[in-house]
Amino acid sequence: MINQTEQMSYRLSTLNTQQQKISYQMSTGQKLQQGSDDSMLYSRVISVDDKIRTYEGLKTQIERTNIQNNAADSSMSEIKKILDTVKAELIKANTATTSTNGIAAIAANIAGLKENLYQLSNTQVEGEYVFAGSDSSIQPFEKDANGKVTYVGNNQLRKVAVEEGSYRERGVTGFDMMMYPSSSANKGETLTFVESDRIIDQDGNEWKLNSPTNDTLTKYDLDGNVTTDTLPVTNDGLTPPTFSAVMPNTDGTKFEAKTNIFNLMDSTLNALRKVDSVGNPISDDVAKAQISKSSIEMNKAYDGVNIAHAELGGRNEIFETSLERVSSKLSQYNILSQQIGAADLAKVAIEAKALELTYTALYSTISKTNQLSLVNFIN
């Protein structure tokens, strides 16, 4: 009698364990409640779930990057419209029929457009500046008390993961979108530039004039550290001076002098107001010549922004394609997770019904056993 009772208790305990497993499967839809239920299957489930978390992270990051890319694209479209307007205004300013009051109105309009350019150049999305280079936490363009705007970002693009172990460059830098190549030189050629220009070599390194003598260009690496590489510089002695430097006689050498569009806007405004860079009056002929030069340079500036915009579009397309690919892979891994980890609910229902019948039979047996007296059991 005692042995039979122990057997009944053991069977009931086993049925309870099975009931817990079936209840878990029916409520969650998952096949495994614990890894020990099936170690090989559990290992596969963990591997797939790890992939899902990885691609969810990639998708979130790429979606955020696409928002920033779209903001950068929109800003550059507006910048091009502003430069188009400036070009049209300079054409009007350069005609003989435009009155003094008309010139003053054009100057006021261009001054307002410069402020709009400044705001667009510092476009910010979710706390990040989209044109700052690799460090998106800093404001890329700063303006001093005199209204002079300087680019303080770097020349390196930020890289964003688009796949496991694969990264792509995002956006454009301030060097690309608000500086245009005013002159260039290859190996053995002479590069000419003014003091406010930024000199960039073929590898993206910047070369700076040594102040105050301005007789040497010194190379700074991509991290902004000074190197021992230098180039001698010649000064033409004019006011303002123009500098020149002979390029190294090395294959692949290409230097560009990049002019800040804000500097071009300032010189244009000075010409319209008939003053030089320090505020001294200039003649009508000098002002007209400067306006004509500004009009030519503004076309170069527009072309530079247009090229940068095209490069931005190409990079944006990479991230849009990457988002589609990552989303597709994430969907595939989610389906696979369901296939290998999901319980067969039809089978579980059958097992639940069979378990119910077993419970009924076992409790019936227990009930009948409990009704037996010791004498009847012995007999």
Side-chain angles (χ1 to χ4, degrees), residues 220-232:
Y220 288 73
D221 63 23
L222 295 177
D223 295 321
N225 301 314
V226 64
T227 70
T228 58
D229 296 331
T230 61
L231 287 173

Side-chain angles (χ1 to χ4, degrees), residues 108-136:
N109 187 26
I110 291 179
L113 293 174
K114 177 192 171 185
E115 184 61 28
N116 292 344
L117 280 178
Y118 179 69
Q119 297 297 329
L120 289 168
S121 299
N122 286 322
T123 296
Q124 193 177 18
V125 179
E126 296 181 344
E128 295 188 32
Y129 292 97
V130 298
F131 299 123
S134 61
D135 187 356
S136 57

Side-chain angles (χ1 to χ4, degrees), residues 206-210 216-220 226-231:
E206 185 171 4
W207 295 68
K208 300 180 181 180
L209 276 171
N210 62 322
T216 304
L217 280 176
T218 302
K219 177 182 174 181
Y220 288 73
V226 64
T227 70
T228 58
D229 296 331
T230 61
L231 287 173

